[in-house]
DNA sequence: TTCCCCGCTTGATAAAAGTCAAGCGGCCCA
DNA sequence: TGGGCCGCTTGACTTTTATCAAGCGGGGAA
């Protein structure tokens, strides 16, 4: 990693070593209920891959050959919008599965998945997934639960996108990111990671980078949040929450 | 229904007569694969209700006791937004099931379902649903497919809501409604039903009734669409499609 | 039938966001 | 170490949309 960069060789290293039995992330996946023989099936079927930042796990539109399973690292899910632009529609981390939407919908991947950090992502092919679901109803139910949560989240976001002004949408995004990666210091100041460029954030908020830039300045002067290149510091969570309340009831 | 209006009595009539075996809509539901004994289980478990326009099938937030099944009529799904307002997030018709999101997510209903036309909607309680899913993997897979489609649709809508201007969003809404209820005359003119008030349409588009009203006038003068109280006439589908293309590539 | 309420439309004006254009600064590469 | 590219910011201006206020008209109730 240090002296000679060299060519990327085959950047995608295929490892057989890690085992589902020892995987610390598995308990957060839809395979959590598997034990004994069933887990053995999963372990034998999986292929484990190492990814570097920027590497693509799968491309939107491509055929889905199975389900991916994030053991370590974080992943960005992009979707190409009605214009040429890409919009980030989700983030995934250890314990998240990827590609199940394409798998169950029997169509190509609906998003492009790109590694943001170094990590390890396993792959389970269609046949094994099918076998496991037929053997273990709990797996199917776990995916039903997961998809249900996804619909729910997506609909809520959609309604917010339609009815909240930019300022409130931005506050909401910070709150979502907070749940993902907030570190509080002794005064209650939160430091939140911003795993995107401003351009990406603007697209997520449905605005232009220029408008986002101006909004950031407003947030700074109002003392709501202080923006670094790849992080935000929120001095007081309540002040941020007030931004959402204000949008909900302008009279209050 | 004709002479004496009388009081609503118990507006919700519970019928036992109709049978799942003869239901014409069943083949479009997630129960389509059921036969023999399994279908018998469904038939015995179901309760059949008749609804009048405006009647509520279930309320957002209430506990979900099972899954509903639209045999006839059409239903509006509303969700209360971050402000007090209600936003229509979906329409359902014969062959659609309702409440599966709350069922599989193990939470209260995420929307309010309200009948728009007279219709018949059956109800299948939790225990029966659970039994059927465990007996027949095809049912679980059908719901997985359905939820997958829902996530897909919702995400697409979300991205469009974020990145398209009002005009294009309105064109898109008309195209969606077209697939639901378009009648073409001999000149290719489409007549599309608008099952909402202007207020509801405005909320769906993320704008105010005033702005929608102005947009409608623009569409009229541009010859893109002609609006009646509860219907739209689109003289040329291509002209409408151009509205979306124009938003996608402003230079074209 | 008449009146009233409510949903819709219209106009005037204010606020928000987009667009165009330019400049700054960090980072990568030569 | 220098230059250029790219992402971000800023300013000036335009366009879009919201807000406020008022009027119109149909449907239901007295």
């Amino acid at each position: 990693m240090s002296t000679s960069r060299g060519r990327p060789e085959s950047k995608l290293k295929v490892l057989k070593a890690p085992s589902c039995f020892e995987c610390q992330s598995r308990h957060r996946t839809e395979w959590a209920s598997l034990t004994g023989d069933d887990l053995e099936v999963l372990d034998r079927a999986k292929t484990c891959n190492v990814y570097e930042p920027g590497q693509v796990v799968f491309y939107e539109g491509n055929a889905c050959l199975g389900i991916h399973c994030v053991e370590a690292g974080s992943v960005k899910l992009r979707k190409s919008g009605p214009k040429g632009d890409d919009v980030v529609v989700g983030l995934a981390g250890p314990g998240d599965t990827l590609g199940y939407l394409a798998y169950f919908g029997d169509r190509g991947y609906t998003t492009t998945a790109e590694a943001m950090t170094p990590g390890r992502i396993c792959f389970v092919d269609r046949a094994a997934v099918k076998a496991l679901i037929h053997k273990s109803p709990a797996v199917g139910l776990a995916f039903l639960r997961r998809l249900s949560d996804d619909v729910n989240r997506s609909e809520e976001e959609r309604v917010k996108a339609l009815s909240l002004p930019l300022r409130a949408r931005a506050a909401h995004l910070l709150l979502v990111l907070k749940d993902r990666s907030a570190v509080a210091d002794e005064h209650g100041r939160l430091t939140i990671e911003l795993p995107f460029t401003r351009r990406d954030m603007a697209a997520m908020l449905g605005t232009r980078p220029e408008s986002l830039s101006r909004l950031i300045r407003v947030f700074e002067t109002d003392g709501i949040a202080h923006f670094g290149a790849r992080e935000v510091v929120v001095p007081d969570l309540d002040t941020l929450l007030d931004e959402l309340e204000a949008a909900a009831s302008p009279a209050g």
Side-chain angles (χ1 to χ4, degrees), chain A:
Chain A
M1 189 58 92
S2 49
T3 52
S4 85
R5 274 284 182 86
R7 67 207 141 89
E9 343 201 320
S10 125
K11 275 176 111 180
L12 186 106
K13 303 177 201 162
V14 177
L15 306 177
K16 276 288 173 191
S19 153
C20 294
F21 288 93
E22 293 151 27
C23 176
Q24 295 301 308
S25 302
R26 185 178 61 85
H27 308 286
R28 276 173 282 169
T29 71
E30 287 78 12
W31 319 113
S33 66
L34 295 182
T35 53
D37 287 351
D38 293 345
L39 188 50
E40 184 74 34
V41 169
L42 179 66
D43 188 54
R44 270 209 280 265
K46 69 125 187 8
T47 313
C48 199
N49 303 315
V50 169
Y51 291 87
E52 293 301 318
Q55 251 187 292
V56 168
V57 183
F58 52 77
Y59 286 94
E60 179 178 358
N62 280 8
C64 168
L65 306 174
I67 287 180
H68 308 257
C69 213
V70 182
E71 185 187 345
S74 55
V75 177
K76 181 165 60 175
L77 298 171
R78 286 186 276 122
K79 196 176 179 68
S80 73
K83 303 168 180 174
D85 56 352
D86 272 16
V87 184
V88 176
V89 293
L91 299 174
D96 286 326
T97 44
L98 304 173
Y100 54 89
L101 224 159
Y103 176 84
F104 292 115
D106 200 24
R107 67 185 138 238
Y109 289 114
T110 57
T111 56
T112 296
E114 181 188 319
M116 291 192 298
T117 65
R120 196 156 54 191
I121 302 172
C122 299
F123 174 77
V124 185
D125 69 76
R126 294 189 76 88
V129 175
K130 185 175 177 182
L132 285 166
I133 285 185
H134 278 80
K135 283 191 72 173
S136 167
V139 170
L141 286 171
F143 276 112
L144 282 165
R145 166 104 208 193
R146 173 56 180 268
L147 279 162
S148 160
D149 287 346
D150 285 350
V151 175
N152 217 224
R153 192 180 42 71
S154 182
E155 289 284 286
E156 300 251 287
E157 297 272 338
R158 177 153 75 104
V159 171
K160 284 194 168 68
L162 287 172
S163 58
L164 291 180
L166 175 60
R167 202 177 151 131
R169 293 203 305 275
H172 176 246
L173 176 58
L174 291 184
L175 288 171
V176 171
L177 292 174
K178 168 187 75 76
D179 294 334
R180 183 180 165 274
S181 73
V183 182
D185 71 4
E186 64 274 21
H187 305 92
R189 283 159 40 112
L190 296 174
T191 300
I192 304 168
E193 183 197 0
L194 288 184
F196 333 98
T197 63
R198 296 287 141 105
R199 173 187 301 281
D200 282 346
M201 268 188 79
M204 292 174 77
L205 293 170
T207 187
R208 309 296 149 200
E210 297 97 318
S211 298
L212 174 59
S213 188
R214 288 183 237 275
L215 177 66
I216 285 175
R217 209 188 336 165
V218 173
F219 272 11
E220 300 264 0
T221 61
D222 290 2
I224 293 166
H226 301 273
F227 287 75
R230 274 328 222 252
E231 64 178 27
V232 189
V233 176
V234 177
D236 180 18
L237 187 57
D238 290 334
T239 315
L240 186 59
L241 288 168
D242 285 346
E243 285 303 311
L244 276 180
E245 309 261 325
S249 56

